[in-house]
Amino acid sequence: MEEHSNQYAEAAVPQTMQETGAEERDPESIALHQPLLLKRNRTVSSTPLAMVGAKVSHIESLDYEINENDLFKHDWRSRSKFQVLQYVFLKWILAFLVGLLTGIIATLINLAVENIAGYKLLAAVSFIEKGRYLMGFIFIAGANLLLTASASVLCVCFAPTAAGPGIPEIKAYLNGVDTPNMFGATTMIVKIFGSIGAVSAGLDLGKEGPLVHIGSCIASLLGQGGPDNYRIKWGWLRYFNNDRDRRDIITCGAASGVCAAFRAPVGGVLSALLWRTFFSTAIVVVVLRAFIQICNSGECGLFGQGGLIMFDVSTVTVTYHAWDIIPVAVIGIIGGVSGSMYNYLLDKILRLYSLINQKGKVHKLLLSLTVSLFTSACLYGLPFLVECTPCNSSLSESVCPTNEGSGNYKKFNCPDGHYNDLATLLLATNDDAVRNIFSTNTSAEYRPLSLLIFFVLYCILGLFTLGIAVPSGLFLPIILMGSAYGRLLGIAMQSYTSIDQGLFAVLGAASLMAGSMRMTVSLCVIFLELTNNLLLLPITMIVLLISKTVGDSFNQSIYEIILHLKGLPFLEASPEPWMRNLTVGELADAKPPVVTLCGIEKVDRIVEVLRNTTHNGFPVVEEVVPPMGLAVGATEVHGLILRAHLVQVLKKKWFLREKRRTEEWEVREKFTSVELAEREEKIEEVAVTRDEMEMYVDLHPLTNRTPYTVMEGMSVAKAMVLFRQVGLRHLLIVPNHEASGVPPVVGILTRQDLIAYNILNAFPHLTKSAGSEKGN
C-alpha cells in the first residue's frame, strides 16, 4: 500500500458494500473543505480504512462477545478451581506490573525532560548574562532543532503511529476498533524517547497524552507476552488471548498513564474496571512518591520539586461568596467559546498539514523543524519586548531576581533588583511555566501585557504544533492557554471578587479543557487532585459544566474531530434522534444479500465464500423438520461462525468424506481454544486440492450458537445502543415472523453500518429530519 502523509492525512475511501477491503483513491485530490470520508453513493457501509500512522490501513473491529461454541463450552466446563483462581490472580498480577512499569517509565521521562530542558535554559541564560544575546539565541535554537529532529526522525522513520497524542486511537480501541501497530514495542520505545526530545525542545506540547499511550502499550505487550516477533509462549497467557481480556488490561494501562501524567489516581480509574484500575493507579502513585522522595534530596539534578504535580493549594485559604458566581460563569462561557473556536481552527490546520505531509518524509521533517525554529524565536525574542519589573522589597535577593533553575522571578536581561515577568513564563520548562502562572498571592507579579502576549503566543503555537511528526499531548497547551486568560480575567475583576488570581488561572485552565475536550467528571477529579483542596470543588464543577454546555452547542470535542479526520469508526454513546425513524430492516435492504453457510457445508463452497467476500462472520443455517403448517425445506439459524475459524478448518484439513455430524471428541482432538483465538491466518495462505473440494465440513461444533439477534422492526437507535454496550462485531437481523420463502437471517449489522455519516449517505432524506431535530 502506498505510503501517505502523517496521522492526520485524509484517506479518500471508495464506495463498497462489504465490511472490508477496497482500493484507495489519491488523497491529494481531496480539498480542504471536504470531510475525511468522501460522500458516496447510496449504500450503508463504507470501507473500513483509516489513517493509522503514515498509511491508510485496514481497520478491524474487535469482538468482545464470548464465542459460545462447543469447544468453548467444553473448555469452560473442564477448568478446575485452581485454573479459575489462577486466571483471577494473573489479572491482578498484570495490573500490578502495568502500574509498576508505567510509574517507573513516567518518572524517568520526567527526570530526563527536567534535566535536559533545565540545563539547556541555564546555558542560554549564561550567554544572556554576558550580553551575548545572539549566541544565546543560536544555542537555544540549535539545541531545540536537534531535539526536535531526533524526535521527528524516530517517528517518521521507525514508528509513525507514535506521532501525535495517541489518545484518540485508545478511545477508538476501547470503543471496539482495532488499529494496527498502535500498541507495539517499537511504538512504545519511540513514544518514550520522542516525548523526551519533543518536550525538552520547548515545543508547545505536553507529555500527558503520550504517557497514556505508553501505559496502554505496556499493558498490551504484557498481556500478549511481548512483541509479535519475540512473543513468550507461556501457557498461562492463553487466558488473555482474546479481545475482551486484552481490552481490560489496556484499560488499566490507560488509567495508569493518566495517573502518571497528573499524579491523579482517582481521575484515572473512572471506568467500568474500577477495582483493578484503582490498583494499577495506586501502584503508579507509590512509585512516583518514592522517586520524589529520592529526588528531593538533590540526587536527580534539576529534577527536585518539578514534573509531577503542577499546583498545590492545600495551604491556601480559598474564600468566595455568592456574587463570585458571576466571574466564575464568565470564565465558563469564555472557556466554552474559546475551546470550540480552538477545535474549529485546529481542524482546518490539521487538514492543511495533511496536504504538506503527503509529499513525503522530508516534508514531515522540515515542517517539524520549521515549527521548532519559530517556537525558539518567539520564546527567546518576545521577553525583550516587555519592560523589567522591580522586585518586591519583601522578597530576598535569592528569590528575586534569579536565573537559577525554577522560580517565579527570572532576571533575564534586567538589571539587579528587577525581573522579566514574560521570561519567567516563556524561558522555563513547561511544568515550571504552569506552576509559575498558577502561583497564588502574587497579584502584582505579572503585567496584563505580558499575560496577553503569552496567551496569544500559546494560542498560535498550540494550533501549529499539534500535527507535526512528534509525540505530543494536548493537555499542557490547553492548560497554559486557559490559565493565561483566567489570570487576565482575575486582574480585570480583582476589585469585584476575593478569588486569588492564581485560582482564576486554575479555573481558566479547567474551562478551556472542558470547552475543547468536553470532559467533566474525570477532569473535575483530576483538578481536585492537582490542587489538593476540596474548597475549589464547587466552583470547578460550575466552570466545567458551563464550558462543556457552551462548547457542545458549537462543535464536537477535539478528540472526536481527530477521530473523524483519521476515519476511525467511533460509535457515540448516544444515538442520533433521527435514528429512531429508521429500522434495521431498512438498513439491511440497503446492503447486499447476506451470505450464509449450511451446518454441514462443502469445502468448495467455503473456499468460494472466503475468496470472494471479505466478511468476518457468516450465519450458519440448517434445514429443520417441518412441523404442521410449515413448508418443507424451511431453515433456521444455528448460529454464527467467524472467518478466522473457517480458515483454521481449511488449514487443519478437518474434512469429512461423507455428509454427517461429528462427535464432540473429534473437534477436541483437532482444535484447541488457543488455536481458535488466532486471527492472523489468511485464505490466500491455505492450499486445498481438487479432491478436498468435494469433501464436507461440519460447522456445528465451531459455531457460536448464541449470537445476538434483533428483529427487523427494531429502530437503528436501539440496535446501536445494544451494539455499543455489549461490544459486538456482528449483530444478526432476523425476520419479525416465520413464513414460507422468508430467509431466517435478513441481514448483519456491523460497526460501519451504524456510523451516522454512512447512514445519511445511504438515506439522504434523513438529512432534513436530522437538521430539524437538531434545531429543536
Side-chain angles (χ1 to χ4, degrees), residues 242-271:
N242 61 81
D243 291 340
R244 178 185 294 267
D245 284 314
R246 190 164 180 254
R247 173 199 60 181
D248 292 349
I249 191 65
I250 287 178
T251 301
C252 291
S256 299
V258 173
C259 176
F262 298 102
R263 208 178 72 176
V266 179
V269 303
L270 296 178
S271 65

Side-chain angles (χ1 to χ4, degrees), residues 59-376:
I59 298 299
E60 289 278 349
S61 295
L62 298 171
D63 194 353
Y64 299 142
E65 179 187 3
I66 296 177
N67 197 330
E68 294 183 340
N69 53 35
D70 292 347
L71 199 62
F72 169 82
K73 293 177 181 178
H74 177 268
D75 181 65
W76 189 260
R77 288 193 303 264
S78 62
R79 287 188 182 182
S80 62
K81 289 184 178 180
F82 173 77
Q83 289 177 315
V84 174
L85 290 175
Q86 183 187 37
Y87 170 64
V88 175
F89 177 73
L90 288 173
K91 288 198 293 187
W92 286 93
I93 289 295
L94 283 178
F96 169 80
L97 292 175
V98 168
L100 178 65
L101 294 176
T102 304
I104 293 174
I105 291 177
T107 304
L108 295 177
I109 290 176
N110 280 279
L111 188 66
V113 168
E114 290 288 317
N115 280 283
I116 295 174
Y119 283 115
K120 177 194 69 178
L121 293 173
L122 288 177
V125 168
S126 67
F127 286 107
I128 296 174
E129 290 176 340
K130 299 174 183 177
R132 303 174 64 185
Y133 300 121
L134 181 59
M135 284 301 301
F137 172 71
I138 293 174
F139 174 81
I140 199 168
N144 289 343
L145 283 173
L146 181 62
L147 291 168
T148 303
S150 63
S152 185
V153 167
L154 286 173
C155 291
V156 170
C157 299
F158 298 100
T161 51
I167 292 181
E169 290 85 356
I170 296 172
K171 285 172 64 72
Y173 183 89
L174 299 180
N175 189 258
V177 181
D178 188 13
T179 51
N181 304 320
M182 276 306 301
F183 304 111
T186 305
T187 300
M188 183 186 71
I189 294 171
V190 170
K191 200 83 173 184
I192 292 172
F193 290 99
S195 297
I196 293 173
V199 178
S200 300
L203 296 174
D204 185 22
L205 46 83
K207 52 186 178 293
E208 294 76 22
L211 278 175
V212 177
H213 192 184
I214 290 169
S216 301
C217 291
I218 293 172
S220 177
L221 292 171
L222 286 175
Q224 69 183 20
D228 292 335
N229 297 332
Y230 304 97
R231 189 173 297 181
I232 300 173
K233 300 294 184 180
W234 289 346
W236 57 269
L237 285 174
R238 72 182 187 276
Y239 296 131
F240 305 99
N241 197 13
N242 61 81
D243 291 340
R244 178 185 294 267
D245 284 314
R246 190 164 180 254
R247 173 199 60 181
D248 292 349
I249 191 65
I250 287 178
T251 301
C252 291
S256 299
V258 173
C259 176
F262 298 102
R263 208 178 72 176
V266 179
V269 303
L270 296 178
S271 65
L273 302 171
L274 183 63
W275 287 111
R276 254 186 292 155
T277 53
F278 184 75
F279 179 63
S280 294
T281 55
I283 299 300
V284 174
V285 169
V286 171
V287 173
L288 295 180
R289 173 56 62 183
F291 274 97
I292 288 175
Q293 294 297 327
I294 296 173
C295 292
N296 281 339
S297 62
E299 298 180 2
C300 299
L302 297 179
F303 183 77
Q305 302 175 356
L308 295 176
I309 184 166
M310 287 181 270
F311 184 49
D312 189 342
V313 293
S314 56
T315 59
V316 178
T317 302
V318 181
T319 58
Y320 44 85
H321 306 283
W323 55 83
D324 290 329
I325 193 69
I326 296 177
V328 169
V330 170
I331 286 183
I333 295 172
I334 294 175
V337 175
S338 302
S340 59
M341 179 62 68
Y342 177 78
N343 293 354
Y344 173 80
L345 294 176
L346 190 60
D347 180 18
K348 302 302 180 185
I349 291 174
L350 291 179
R351 293 176 183 273
L352 175 63
Y353 275 11
S354 72
L355 298 179
I356 297 174
N357 289 327
Q358 283 172 10
K359 301 183 183 299
K361 295 180 179 180
V362 175
H363 288 78
K364 296 179 189 179
L365 184 59
L366 289 177
L367 179 60
S368 301
L369 296 179
T370 302
V371 172
S372 175
L373 185 60
F374 175 74
T375 302
S376 301

Side-chain angles (χ1 to χ4, degrees), residues 287-510:
V287 173
L288 295 180
R289 173 56 62 183
F291 274 97
I292 288 175
Q293 294 297 327
I294 296 173
C295 292
N296 281 339
S297 62
E299 298 180 2
C300 299
L302 297 179
F303 183 77
Q305 302 175 356
L308 295 176
I309 184 166
M310 287 181 270
F311 184 49
D312 189 342
V313 293
S314 56
T315 59
V316 178
T317 302
V318 181
T319 58
Y320 44 85
H321 306 283
W323 55 83
D324 290 329
I325 193 69
I326 296 177
V328 169
V330 170
I331 286 183
I333 295 172
I334 294 175
V337 175
S338 302
S340 59
M341 179 62 68
Y342 177 78
N343 293 354
Y344 173 80
L345 294 176
L346 190 60
D347 180 18
K348 302 302 180 185
I349 291 174
L350 291 179
R351 293 176 183 273
L352 175 63
Y353 275 11
S354 72
L355 298 179
I356 297 174
N357 289 327
Q358 283 172 10
K359 301 183 183 299
K361 295 180 179 180
V362 175
H363 288 78
K364 296 179 189 179
L365 184 59
L366 289 177
L367 179 60
S368 301
L369 296 179
T370 302
V371 172
S372 175
L373 185 60
F374 175 74
T375 302
S376 301
C378 292
L379 296 182
Y380 186 86
L382 288 178
F384 288 99
L385 302 180
V386 299
E387 298 180 357
C388 295
T389 305
C391 292
N392 193 311
S393 58
S394 62
L395 299 174
S396 64
E397 293 183 0
S398 61
V399 175
C400 180
T402 179
N403 278 328
E404 300 295 330
S406 59
N408 278 48
Y409 306 94
K410 291 292 180 68
K411 184 179 179 181
F412 194 58
N413 63 330
C414 296
D416 294 338
H418 294 70
Y419 71 95
N420 189 310
D421 57 348
L422 187 55
T424 301
L425 297 175
L426 296 182
L427 289 180
T429 63
N430 290 335
D431 293 324
D432 279 340
V434 173
R435 277 191 295 272
N436 292 340
I437 201 169
F438 278 3
S439 58
T440 55
N441 300 321
T442 54
S443 57
E445 179 180 351
Y446 300 105
R447 297 182 178 183
L449 177 61
S450 298
L451 289 173
L452 182 61
I453 294 174
F454 180 81
F455 172 69
V456 173
L457 172 63
Y458 270 84
C459 285
I460 296 172
L461 295 180
L463 288 171
F464 286 95
T465 303
L466 184 70
I468 63 176
V470 296
S472 57
L474 279 168
F475 285 91
L476 195 78
I478 293 176
I479 286 176
L480 289 172
M481 284 186 287
S483 60
Y485 74 68
R487 196 162 187 116
L488 277 171
L489 189 61
I491 294 175
M493 294 190 172
Q494 59 183 348
S495 59
Y496 303 100
T497 178
S498 59
I499 299 178
D500 188 270
Q501 291 180 18
L503 301 183
F504 265 105
V506 175
L507 295 177

